[in-house]
Amino acid sequence: MVLRVKFRKYGRVRFIGHLDVMRFFQKANRRAGLDMAYTAGFSPHQIMSFAAPLGVGLESNGEYMDIQVNSLTSCMDVRNRLNGVSVPGIEVVSVKILPKDAGNAMASVAAASYTVRFREGREPDFLRETPMEQALERFLCKDSIRIVKETKKSVRQVDLKPGIYRLTWDGEALHMLVDASSGGNIKPVQVLEALLSDYQEKLKENALWVTREDTFARVEGEGEQRFQPLDGIGMDDGQYAASQAREREKEGNFG
Amino acid sequence: MSDRLALSDDILMKIEKPERYIGHEVNSVMKNLRNVAVRFAMCFPDVYEIGMSHLGIQILYDMFNAMEDVWCERVYSPWVDLDAVMRREGIPLFALESQDPIKSFDFLGITIQYEMCYTNILEILELAGIPLTAVERGEDCPIVIGGGPCSYNPEPLAEFFDLFYIGEGETRYGELLDLYKRCRGEGVGRVEFLRRAARIPGIYAPRFYEAVYRSDGTLDSFAPTEEGIPATVRKEVEMDVTHTSYPRKPVVPFIKVTQDRVVLEIQRGCIRGCRFCQAGQLYRPVRERDVEMLKEYALAMLENTGHEEISLSSLSSSDYSRLPELIDFLIEECRDRKINISLPSLRIDAFSLDVMEKVQDVRKSSLTFAPEAGSQRLRNVINKGLTREDILRGAAMAFEGGWTRVKLYFMLGLPTETEDDIRGIAELSNEIAATFFDRVPKEKRTNGKVQVVASTSFFVPKPFTPFQWAKQCTKEEFIEKAYFTKRAISEQLNQKSIKYNWHEADASVLEGVLARGDRRLSKVLLRLHEMGCLYDAWGEYFDNDKWMDAFSQCGLDPDFYIRERALDELFPWDFIDCGVTREFLLREWHKALREEVSENCRQKCQGCGAGRFGGGICFQDRPRDGGASSDSGPR
Ligand code: SF4
């Protein structure tokens, strides 16, 4: 069965890169004594999948990994065991059992929400003349928000506009919900760079303090209802027990 | 626990692999400063990934932190990118656990594993804000203490260290730290502490010794300058390697380091007595750990780290008497846990091939032989008891078992080496390739072909080996030998199946200069440090021209240090008693020149002197002579 593990990452471990977080959990799963499922072959690997990679230096309250286990004590027990062998700053929030037909964490990712603050003294200069609310209104009214995306292989223009689902300011921080799918992933820093470029400004060095709040999958629905946190589909211990009872009942009816 | 980091976010975001500097790895030890009397910073003067892979540090880290009032933390050389930032911004070097400046510690322990890290040691001191030379340091500085294999000739570094610990750390550190606490309680100053420390066995305090040189540059005398300071320092040995410190919970780095696995040290020392090998002499006598202890620790360490691989460590694992039992146990336990077993330093024979077939993917792995010399004659000189027949038989078995890749390790520039010996390297490589085509029928050749990789390193004579008297080749001689080898290989019938690699020659020469160097070389090291030399163990940062300039500016000639030494010459390291006697080494040097081999410790005791430690292999039953005899063994 597959478990969806939601965890937070904060403090100094922000500087641990995505691949090393994967390595961390491979070892943590062993230390925790989880009954992991492995791939076949000469060098077997734990069967696991991570949702959207988080950039180095970013905090998160909503990271996800799926792990496949052969047996399970309880979700609560897995959570406690993992936290018992973790380090400060990597904290498992919840563990849920995925229904059989659920896609893996990586493939399910559609969006992510972020809180973005400016580090002290690194706020954009335009704020001295233009309030952020006004700047955002103008920004979001544009037909397109074009930026140049540079990868190792190519340099191309992309339009951020369709991928920005929400962008607000609460007087201290920006809150955004943006595309995080593998095809259209938007980084908060790209949004901010685009915003500042309207004022012929560049972001100051290491200007942003970014927290990913949650990671979302796409479901039926309109507007923001289209998105549901990745653990929205899992079952906790109680829900799982109830579903098992229902199954037994069904079987009983047939028998 | 405070989450304060010594480096700002701005810096951490800019440098490579910030994880090297944040600490907080699984199993790293945090302590409450209120309960800590002695703070010990343990340093490996190279980058984190190398330093974290070193077993010795993990052992000492565990040992110190088991002491209630001692907190041992780790520090490594900042990589060149951070080094530049720290220098520019005046950020003091800090320890990973507390992130506190090194200068505020009581001790800075530096393990010295190879000569080419000496420039990094000076950089560590400088970044820490500790005066480079020991005599300049005041009461506000940590005691800088060195250890590790290079401390068996500490002289080139003598000026920079307050103390050296000669030998295995398990035995005397408790005593040394107790003395430190006592001295602090009595209000006794730094110099008096060092003076008293110098009387602890195994502790060498360079400032209380003076070296006098002759006009030809050789040592005339080397003696203590004060009453009560011992004239010789005997190495410390942990004789009970079973009931001693060994980490059950080694630190697990976030990033992938060189040794990303559980390491189980099965024994100390080596019975073989290869004449070029310093470790084989320094760590005598051989002491095996109890197999039950190893089994228990293996499981505990796997559980506590979550590593997916375990590796056995020793100079020659095949010589561990309970190896089959241990391996069977590991294979059994690791199968269900999906843990890989890696078995370095196994002699290739039916047993090891059988084991390797069980634990690794034959098609992907390669076999390693270390004949070290190309001809039987030269292998006799170096006392490497591996014959051409052994190698060809092993290779044939391996090829039949499906292996197609063989790695061969040789040395160039060994004493008495001739062109025939070098040609032997090419011929042996060729014969191995030929064995493949002989033994494996066409339809059974897994990858269709065989790959033999022959690598040569350059021989560097080391203190406390029978070759400590030998001449080392110059850079030009080394390079010529490498070309000769390359040509000889290209003339072989199967040359297409043979790949040849050789090491840098420049660095090998300098390694030899420092290995057999004296106190005067500290001037050169200081000069190199001023010139900005750093990470000289890394080919891309090593700059031979700077080294040559530094030598000439200091009026010293590298060639002086690589010359053949007179039989009665006083060596800078002679004041250290490493157990093995000078008479034994000289006897072996003469036997080498006569091309005579010596039996290993298990076959027949050679009376090397290490018997006086009173244990280990020297007192075990042998098939024939029944233990070290009274006149040749323990003295
Ligand atoms: S005394 Fe004999 S048995 Fe002991 S280490 Fe020396 S040679 Fe080997």
Side-chain angles (χ1 to χ4, degrees), chain A residues 11-12 14-17 20 23 27 30-31 42 119 122 206, chain B residues 9-10 19 22 255 260 304-308 337-338 360:
Chain A
R12 61 177 82 185
R14 282 181 294 124
F15 296 102
I16 302 173
D20 293 324
R23 279 169 31 84
K27 294 181 199 280
R30 285 178 178 281
R31 289 195 298 274
F42 231 104
R119 289 174 193 264
R122 302 188 192 184
N206 194 23
Chain B
D9 274 24
D10 287 352
E19 297 133 303
I22 61 175
I255 48 175
D260 180 31
N304 291 329
T305 58
H307 281 314
E308 29 304 271
R337 291 183 171 85
K338 310 272 192 261
Q360 53 187 230

PDB file of all heavy atoms in Angstrom, chain A residues 11-12 14-17 20 23 27 30-31 42 119 122 206, chain B residues 9-10 19 22 255 260 304-308 337-338 360:
ATOM      1  N   GLY A  11      14.043  26.122   9.067  1.00  0.00           N
ATOM      2  CA  GLY A  11      15.294  26.289   9.819  1.00  0.00           C
ATOM      3  C   GLY A  11      16.490  26.001   8.930  1.00  0.00           C
ATOM      4  O   GLY A  11      16.435  26.182   7.715  1.00  0.00           O
ATOM      5  N   ARG A  12      17.577  25.522   9.548  1.00  0.00           N
ATOM      6  CA  ARG A  12      18.807  25.367   8.771  1.00  0.00           C
ATOM      7  C   ARG A  12      18.705  24.314   7.674  1.00  0.00           C
ATOM      8  O   ARG A  12      19.451  24.373   6.705  1.00  0.00           O
ATOM      9  CB  ARG A  12      19.993  25.104   9.671  1.00  0.00           C
ATOM     10  CG  ARG A  12      19.896  23.854  10.501  1.00  0.00           C
ATOM     11  CD  ARG A  12      21.173  23.668  11.285  1.00  0.00           C
ATOM     12  NE  ARG A  12      21.165  24.488  12.493  1.00  0.00           N
ATOM     13  CZ  ARG A  12      22.199  24.598  13.316  1.00  0.00           C
ATOM     14  NH1 ARG A  12      23.324  23.968  13.051  1.00  0.00           N
ATOM     15  NH2 ARG A  12      22.142  25.325  14.403  1.00  0.00           N
ATOM     16  N   ARG A  14      16.728  24.146   5.490  1.00  0.00           N
ATOM     17  CA  ARG A  14      16.352  24.785   4.224  1.00  0.00           C
ATOM     18  C   ARG A  14      17.457  24.663   3.187  1.00  0.00           C
ATOM     19  O   ARG A  14      17.215  24.738   1.993  1.00  0.00           O
ATOM     20  CB  ARG A  14      16.118  26.284   4.450  1.00  0.00           C
ATOM     21  CG  ARG A  14      14.802  26.643   5.077  1.00  0.00           C
ATOM     22  CD  ARG A  14      14.671  28.136   5.215  1.00  0.00           C
ATOM     23  NE  ARG A  14      15.648  28.674   6.156  1.00  0.00           N
ATOM     24  CZ  ARG A  14      16.506  29.629   5.856  1.00  0.00           C
ATOM     25  NH1 ARG A  14      16.519  30.157   4.657  1.00  0.00           N
ATOM     26  NH2 ARG A  14      17.369  30.063   6.763  1.00  0.00           N
ATOM     27  N   PHE A  15      18.683  24.507   3.683  1.00  0.00           N
ATOM     28  CA  PHE A  15      19.814  24.498   2.743  1.00  0.00           C
ATOM     29  C   PHE A  15      20.117  23.112   2.201  1.00  0.00           C
ATOM     30  O   PHE A  15      21.094  22.921   1.495  1.00  0.00           O
ATOM     31  CB  PHE A  15      21.041  25.127   3.408  1.00  0.00           C
ATOM     32  CG  PHE A  15      20.809  26.572   3.716  1.00  0.00           C
ATOM     33  CD1 PHE A  15      20.517  26.990   5.004  1.00  0.00           C
ATOM     34  CD2 PHE A  15      20.813  27.504   2.696  1.00  0.00           C
ATOM     35  CE1 PHE A  15      20.258  28.321   5.277  1.00  0.00           C
ATOM     36  CE2 PHE A  15      20.549  28.846   2.951  1.00  0.00           C
ATOM     37  CZ  PHE A  15      20.276  29.260   4.243  1.00  0.00           C
ATOM     38  N   ILE A  16      19.296  22.159   2.551  1.00  0.00           N
ATOM     39  CA  ILE A  16      19.488  20.820   2.006  1.00  0.00           C
ATOM     40  C   ILE A  16      18.732  20.718   0.689  1.00  0.00           C
ATOM     41  O   ILE A  16      17.536  20.998   0.630  1.00  0.00           O
ATOM     42  CB  ILE A  16      18.971  19.762   2.988  1.00  0.00           C
ATOM     43  CG1 ILE A  16      19.704  19.914   4.313  1.00  0.00           C
ATOM     44  CG2 ILE A  16      19.170  18.366   2.433  1.00  0.00           C
ATOM     45  CD1 ILE A  16      19.143  19.031   5.384  1.00  0.00           C
ATOM     46  N   GLY A  17      19.428  20.325  -0.347  1.00  0.00           N
ATOM     47  CA  GLY A  17      18.838  20.254  -1.680  1.00  0.00           C
ATOM     48  C   GLY A  17      17.847  19.101  -1.808  1.00  0.00           C
ATOM     49  O   GLY A  17      17.788  18.204  -0.963  1.00  0.00           O
ATOM     50  N   ASP A  20      19.097  15.504  -1.734  1.00  0.00           N
ATOM     51  CA  ASP A  20      19.560  15.111  -0.411  1.00  0.00           C
ATOM     52  C   ASP A  20      18.396  14.901   0.558  1.00  0.00           C
ATOM     53  O   ASP A  20      18.502  14.111   1.484  1.00  0.00           O
ATOM     54  CB  ASP A  20      20.564  16.134   0.126  1.00  0.00           C
ATOM     55  CG  ASP A  20      21.852  16.125  -0.687  1.00  0.00           C
ATOM     56  OD1 ASP A  20      22.251  15.020  -1.113  1.00  0.00           O
ATOM     57  OD2 ASP A  20      22.434  17.186  -0.921  1.00  0.00           O
ATOM     58  N   ARG A  23      17.502  11.414  -0.164  1.00  0.00           N
ATOM     59  CA  ARG A  23      18.456  10.515   0.508  1.00  0.00           C
ATOM     60  C   ARG A  23      18.168  10.471   2.000  1.00  0.00           C
ATOM     61  O   ARG A  23      18.246   9.428   2.637  1.00  0.00           O
ATOM     62  CB  ARG A  23      19.900  11.015   0.295  1.00  0.00           C
ATOM     63  CG  ARG A  23      20.516  10.635  -1.035  1.00  0.00           C
ATOM     64  CD  ARG A  23      21.832  11.403  -1.269  1.00  0.00           C
ATOM     65  NE  ARG A  23      22.541  11.693  -0.032  1.00  0.00           N
ATOM     66  CZ  ARG A  23      23.351  10.839   0.579  1.00  0.00           C
ATOM     67  NH1 ARG A  23      23.586   9.672   0.053  1.00  0.00           N
ATOM     68  NH2 ARG A  23      23.934  11.181   1.702  1.00  0.00           N
ATOM     69  N   LYS A  27      17.110   6.964   4.224  1.00  0.00           N
ATOM     70  CA  LYS A  27      17.755   6.480   5.445  1.00  0.00           C
ATOM     71  C   LYS A  27      16.815   6.570   6.643  1.00  0.00           C
ATOM     72  O   LYS A  27      16.802   5.684   7.503  1.00  0.00           O
ATOM     73  CB  LYS A  27      19.054   7.258   5.692  1.00  0.00           C
ATOM     74  CG  LYS A  27      20.115   6.978   4.608  1.00  0.00           C
ATOM     75  CD  LYS A  27      21.399   7.723   4.860  1.00  0.00           C
ATOM     76  CE  LYS A  27      22.271   7.839   3.616  1.00  0.00           C
ATOM     77  NZ  LYS A  27      23.052   6.629   3.316  1.00  0.00           N
ATOM     78  N   ARG A  30      14.484   3.672   6.906  1.00  0.00           N
ATOM     79  CA  ARG A  30      15.154   2.495   7.477  1.00  0.00           C
ATOM     80  C   ARG A  30      15.301   2.627   8.983  1.00  0.00           C
ATOM     81  O   ARG A  30      15.036   1.698   9.739  1.00  0.00           O
ATOM     82  CB  ARG A  30      16.554   2.337   6.893  1.00  0.00           C
ATOM     83  CG  ARG A  30      16.585   1.806   5.491  1.00  0.00           C
ATOM     84  CD  ARG A  30      18.041   1.758   5.044  1.00  0.00           C
ATOM     85  NE  ARG A  30      18.174   1.203   3.711  1.00  0.00           N
ATOM     86  CZ  ARG A  30      18.137  -0.095   3.449  1.00  0.00           C
ATOM     87  NH1 ARG A  30      17.988  -0.968   4.414  1.00  0.00           N
ATOM     88  NH2 ARG A  30      18.257  -0.517   2.204  1.00  0.00           N
ATOM     89  N   ARG A  31      15.761   3.799   9.409  1.00  0.00           N
ATOM     90  CA  ARG A  31      15.938   3.979  10.859  1.00  0.00           C
ATOM     91  C   ARG A  31      14.617   3.819  11.596  1.00  0.00           C
ATOM     92  O   ARG A  31      14.563   3.300  12.692  1.00  0.00           O
ATOM     93  CB  ARG A  31      16.506   5.381  11.159  1.00  0.00           C
ATOM     94  CG  ARG A  31      17.934   5.584  10.765  1.00  0.00           C
ATOM     95  CD  ARG A  31      18.517   6.844  11.417  1.00  0.00           C
ATOM     96  NE  ARG A  31      17.835   8.065  11.026  1.00  0.00           N
ATOM     97  CZ  ARG A  31      18.110   8.779   9.932  1.00  0.00           C
ATOM     98  NH1 ARG A  31      19.086   8.391   9.127  1.00  0.00           N
ATOM     99  NH2 ARG A  31      17.434   9.880   9.646  1.00  0.00           N
ATOM    100  N   PHE A  42      19.452  -6.247  -8.650  1.00  0.00           N
ATOM    101  CA  PHE A  42      20.648  -6.399  -7.829  1.00  0.00           C
ATOM    102  C   PHE A  42      20.827  -5.286  -6.820  1.00  0.00           C
ATOM    103  O   PHE A  42      21.324  -5.495  -5.730  1.00  0.00           O
ATOM    104  CB  PHE A  42      21.896  -6.530  -8.707  1.00  0.00           C
ATOM    105  CG  PHE A  42      22.705  -7.722  -8.328  1.00  0.00           C
ATOM    106  CD1 PHE A  42      22.680  -8.860  -9.112  1.00  0.00           C
ATOM    107  CD2 PHE A  42      23.462  -7.732  -7.166  1.00  0.00           C
ATOM    108  CE1 PHE A  42      23.397  -9.991  -8.743  1.00  0.00           C
ATOM    109  CE2 PHE A  42      24.179  -8.852  -6.788  1.00  0.00           C
ATOM    110  CZ  PHE A  42      24.145  -9.981  -7.572  1.00  0.00           C
ATOM    111  N   ARG A 119      13.118  40.439   2.499  1.00  0.00           N
ATOM    112  CA  ARG A 119      14.053  40.570   3.611  1.00  0.00           C
ATOM    113  C   ARG A 119      14.245  42.048   3.907  1.00  0.00           C
ATOM    114  O   ARG A 119      14.175  42.877   2.984  1.00  0.00           O
ATOM    115  CB  ARG A 119      15.389  39.921   3.269  1.00  0.00           C
ATOM    116  CG  ARG A 119      15.319  38.416   3.220  1.00  0.00           C
ATOM    117  CD  ARG A 119      16.635  37.846   2.734  1.00  0.00           C
ATOM    118  NE  ARG A 119      16.481  36.446   2.394  1.00  0.00           N
ATOM    119  CZ  ARG A 119      16.782  35.451   3.222  1.00  0.00           C
ATOM    120  NH1 ARG A 119      17.265  35.693   4.421  1.00  0.00           N
ATOM    121  NH2 ARG A 119      16.623  34.199   2.842  1.00  0.00           N
ATOM    122  N   ARG A 122      15.439  45.017   1.651  1.00  0.00           N
ATOM    123  CA  ARG A 122      15.564  44.565   0.266  1.00  0.00           C
ATOM    124  C   ARG A 122      14.228  44.673  -0.466  1.00  0.00           C
ATOM    125  O   ARG A 122      13.995  44.019  -1.472  1.00  0.00           O
ATOM    126  CB  ARG A 122      16.093  43.139   0.232  1.00  0.00           C
ATOM    127  CG  ARG A 122      17.434  43.050   0.935  1.00  0.00           C
ATOM    128  CD  ARG A 122      18.116  41.729   0.802  1.00  0.00           C
ATOM    129  NE  ARG A 122      19.232  41.684   1.748  1.00  0.00           N
ATOM    130  CZ  ARG A 122      20.080  40.711   1.852  1.00  0.00           C
ATOM    131  NH1 ARG A 122      19.969  39.651   1.067  1.00  0.00           N
ATOM    132  NH2 ARG A 122      21.058  40.744   2.736  1.00  0.00           N
ATOM    133  N   ASN A 206      19.249  38.050  -3.104  1.00  0.00           N
ATOM    134  CA  ASN A 206      18.655  37.255  -2.032  1.00  0.00           C
ATOM    135  C   ASN A 206      17.577  38.055  -1.291  1.00  0.00           C
ATOM    136  O   ASN A 206      17.522  38.072  -0.069  1.00  0.00           O
ATOM    137  CB  ASN A 206      19.764  36.810  -1.061  1.00  0.00           C
ATOM    138  CG  ASN A 206      19.309  35.709  -0.125  1.00  0.00           C
ATOM    139  OD1 ASN A 206      18.367  34.974  -0.430  1.00  0.00           O
ATOM    140  ND2 ASN A 206      19.955  35.608   1.016  1.00  0.00           N
TER     141      ASN A 206
ATOM    142  N   ASP B   9      22.452  33.808   5.567  1.00  0.00           N
ATOM    143  CA  ASP B   9      21.709  33.246   4.438  1.00  0.00           C
ATOM    144  C   ASP B   9      22.313  33.686   3.110  1.00  0.00           C
ATOM    145  O   ASP B   9      22.385  32.912   2.163  1.00  0.00           O
ATOM    146  CB  ASP B   9      20.255  33.735   4.485  1.00  0.00           C
ATOM    147  CG  ASP B   9      19.406  32.853   5.375  1.00  0.00           C
ATOM    148  OD1 ASP B   9      19.981  32.196   6.273  1.00  0.00           O
ATOM    149  OD2 ASP B   9      18.173  32.817   5.183  1.00  0.00           O
ATOM    150  N   ASP B  10      22.748  34.927   3.066  1.00  0.00           N
ATOM    151  CA  ASP B  10      23.304  35.440   1.815  1.00  0.00           C
ATOM    152  C   ASP B  10      24.496  34.601   1.373  1.00  0.00           C
ATOM    153  O   ASP B  10      24.640  34.257   0.204  1.00  0.00           O
ATOM    154  CB  ASP B  10      23.754  36.896   1.978  1.00  0.00           C
ATOM    155  CG  ASP B  10      22.570  37.834   2.057  1.00  0.00           C
ATOM    156  OD1 ASP B  10      21.433  37.360   1.839  1.00  0.00           O
ATOM    157  OD2 ASP B  10      22.777  39.025   2.344  1.00  0.00           O
ATOM    158  N   GLU B  19      25.233  22.647   2.628  1.00  0.00           N
ATOM    159  CA  GLU B  19      25.022  21.597   3.636  1.00  0.00           C
ATOM    160  C   GLU B  19      26.311  21.207   4.342  1.00  0.00           C
ATOM    161  O   GLU B  19      26.281  20.594   5.401  1.00  0.00           O
ATOM    162  CB  GLU B  19      24.431  20.341   2.975  1.00  0.00           C
ATOM    163  CG  GLU B  19      23.071  20.562   2.368  1.00  0.00           C
ATOM    164  CD  GLU B  19      22.997  19.982   0.971  1.00  0.00           C
ATOM    165  OE1 GLU B  19      23.832  20.381   0.124  1.00  0.00           O
ATOM    166  OE2 GLU B  19      22.108  19.151   0.708  1.00  0.00           O
ATOM    167  N   ILE B  22      26.322  23.456   7.842  1.00  0.00           N
ATOM    168  CA  ILE B  22      25.194  23.739   8.738  1.00  0.00           C
ATOM    169  C   ILE B  22      25.091  22.787   9.923  1.00  0.00           C
ATOM    170  O   ILE B  22      24.326  23.033  10.850  1.00  0.00           O
ATOM    171  CB  ILE B  22      23.847  23.758   7.967  1.00  0.00           C
ATOM    172  CG1 ILE B  22      23.563  22.399   7.327  1.00  0.00           C
ATOM    173  CG2 ILE B  22      23.848  24.866   6.915  1.00  0.00           C
ATOM    174  CD1 ILE B  22      22.195  22.321   6.668  1.00  0.00           C
ATOM    175  N   ILE B 255      24.648  15.314   2.716  1.00  0.00           N
ATOM    176  CA  ILE B 255      25.098  15.157   1.336  1.00  0.00           C
ATOM    177  C   ILE B 255      25.832  13.842   1.190  1.00  0.00           C
ATOM    178  O   ILE B 255      26.266  13.242   2.159  1.00  0.00           O
ATOM    179  CB  ILE B 255      26.018  16.306   0.861  1.00  0.00           C
ATOM    180  CG1 ILE B 255      27.117  16.581   1.876  1.00  0.00           C
ATOM    181  CG2 ILE B 255      25.229  17.532   0.551  1.00  0.00           C
ATOM    182  CD1 ILE B 255      28.111  17.612   1.399  1.00  0.00           C
ATOM    183  N   ASP B 260      29.728   6.674   2.010  1.00  0.00           N
ATOM    184  CA  ASP B 260      28.312   6.837   2.338  1.00  0.00           C
ATOM    185  C   ASP B 260      27.760   5.490   2.808  1.00  0.00           C
ATOM    186  O   ASP B 260      26.864   4.926   2.186  1.00  0.00           O
ATOM    187  CB  ASP B 260      27.579   7.336   1.083  1.00  0.00           C
ATOM    188  CG  ASP B 260      26.095   7.541   1.319  1.00  0.00           C
ATOM    189  OD1 ASP B 260      25.726   7.877   2.447  1.00  0.00           O
ATOM    190  OD2 ASP B 260      25.326   7.339   0.368  1.00  0.00           O
ATOM    191  N   ASN B 304      20.966   2.456  13.341  1.00  0.00           N
ATOM    192  CA  ASN B 304      21.056   3.845  13.793  1.00  0.00           C
ATOM    193  C   ASN B 304      21.366   4.842  12.676  1.00  0.00           C
ATOM    194  O   ASN B 304      21.220   6.047  12.868  1.00  0.00           O
ATOM    195  CB  ASN B 304      22.129   3.983  14.867  1.00  0.00           C
ATOM    196  CG  ASN B 304      21.731   3.292  16.154  1.00  0.00           C
ATOM    197  OD1 ASN B 304      20.548   3.215  16.471  1.00  0.00           O
ATOM    198  ND2 ASN B 304      22.696   2.782  16.887  1.00  0.00           N
ATOM    199  N   THR B 305      21.861   4.353  11.558  1.00  0.00           N
ATOM    200  CA  THR B 305      22.191   5.278  10.470  1.00  0.00           C
ATOM    201  C   THR B 305      21.173   5.209   9.333  1.00  0.00           C
ATOM    202  O   THR B 305      20.944   6.202   8.655  1.00  0.00           O
ATOM    203  CB  THR B 305      23.551   4.953   9.837  1.00  0.00           C
ATOM    204  OG1 THR B 305      23.513   3.611   9.346  1.00  0.00           O
ATOM    205  CG2 THR B 305      24.674   5.104  10.849  1.00  0.00           C
ATOM    206  N   GLY B 306      20.622   4.018   9.104  1.00  0.00           N
ATOM    207  CA  GLY B 306      19.756   3.856   7.953  1.00  0.00           C
ATOM    208  C   GLY B 306      20.528   3.730   6.648  1.00  0.00           C
ATOM    209  O   GLY B 306      19.956   3.754   5.569  1.00  0.00           O
ATOM    210  N   HIS B 307      21.857   3.576   6.746  1.00  0.00           N
ATOM    211  CA  HIS B 307      22.648   3.405   5.521  1.00  0.00           C
ATOM    212  C   HIS B 307      22.190   2.161   4.760  1.00  0.00           C
ATOM    213  O   HIS B 307      21.750   1.193   5.366  1.00  0.00           O
ATOM    214  CB  HIS B 307      24.129   3.225   5.870  1.00  0.00           C
ATOM    215  CG  HIS B 307      24.823   4.523   6.187  1.00  0.00           C
ATOM    216  ND1 HIS B 307      24.681   5.645   5.405  1.00  0.00           N
ATOM    217  CD2 HIS B 307      25.683   4.853   7.178  1.00  0.00           C
ATOM    218  CE1 HIS B 307      25.415   6.620   5.916  1.00  0.00           C
ATOM    219  NE2 HIS B 307      26.029   6.177   6.994  1.00  0.00           N
ATOM    220  N   GLU B 308      22.358   2.189   3.438  1.00  0.00           N
ATOM    221  CA  GLU B 308      21.959   1.026   2.667  1.00  0.00           C
ATOM    222  C   GLU B 308      23.160   0.182   2.246  1.00  0.00           C
ATOM    223  O   GLU B 308      23.063  -0.697   1.427  1.00  0.00           O
ATOM    224  CB  GLU B 308      21.057   1.336   1.482  1.00  0.00           C
ATOM    225  CG  GLU B 308      21.064   2.647   0.696  1.00  0.00           C
ATOM    226  CD  GLU B 308      20.855   3.936   1.463  1.00  0.00           C
ATOM    227  OE1 GLU B 308      19.711   4.380   1.659  1.00  0.00           O
ATOM    228  OE2 GLU B 308      21.888   4.536   1.820  1.00  0.00           O
ATOM    229  N   ARG B 337      17.119  -7.061   4.628  1.00  0.00           N
ATOM    230  CA  ARG B 337      17.132  -5.617   4.845  1.00  0.00           C
ATOM    231  C   ARG B 337      17.500  -4.857   3.571  1.00  0.00           C
ATOM    232  O   ARG B 337      17.573  -3.632   3.583  1.00  0.00           O
ATOM    233  CB  ARG B 337      18.155  -5.264   5.925  1.00  0.00           C
ATOM    234  CG  ARG B 337      17.797  -5.728   7.321  1.00  0.00           C
ATOM    235  CD  ARG B 337      18.879  -5.227   8.282  1.00  0.00           C
ATOM    236  NE  ARG B 337      18.549  -5.426   9.672  1.00  0.00           N
ATOM    237  CZ  ARG B 337      18.768  -6.537  10.358  1.00  0.00           C
ATOM    238  NH1 ARG B 337      19.318  -7.579   9.756  1.00  0.00           N
ATOM    239  NH2 ARG B 337      18.461  -6.626  11.632  1.00  0.00           N
ATOM    240  N   LYS B 338      17.793  -5.580   2.505  1.00  0.00           N
ATOM    241  CA  LYS B 338      18.185  -4.957   1.234  1.00  0.00           C
ATOM    242  C   LYS B 338      19.400  -4.046   1.411  1.00  0.00           C
ATOM    243  O   LYS B 338      19.393  -2.888   0.998  1.00  0.00           O
ATOM    244  CB  LYS B 338      17.031  -4.138   0.643  1.00  0.00           C
ATOM    245  CG  LYS B 338      15.724  -4.875   0.585  1.00  0.00           C
ATOM    246  CD  LYS B 338      15.609  -5.655  -0.706  1.00  0.00           C
ATOM    247  CE  LYS B 338      14.209  -6.180  -0.935  1.00  0.00           C
ATOM    248  NZ  LYS B 338      14.053  -7.589  -0.560  1.00  0.00           N
ATOM    249  N   GLN B 360      27.561  -8.879  -5.160  1.00  0.00           N
ATOM    250  CA  GLN B 360      27.546  -7.801  -6.140  1.00  0.00           C
ATOM    251  C   GLN B 360      27.172  -8.290  -7.534  1.00  0.00           C
ATOM    252  O   GLN B 360      27.165  -9.489  -7.803  1.00  0.00           O
ATOM    253  CB  GLN B 360      28.897  -7.074  -6.160  1.00  0.00           C
ATOM    254  CG  GLN B 360      30.066  -8.005  -6.350  1.00  0.00           C
ATOM    255  CD  GLN B 360      31.409  -7.319  -6.190  1.00  0.00           C
ATOM    256  OE1 GLN B 360      32.240  -7.473  -7.025  1.00  0.00           O
ATOM    257  NE2 GLN B 360      31.608  -6.566  -5.114  1.00  0.00           N
TER     258      GLN B 360
END
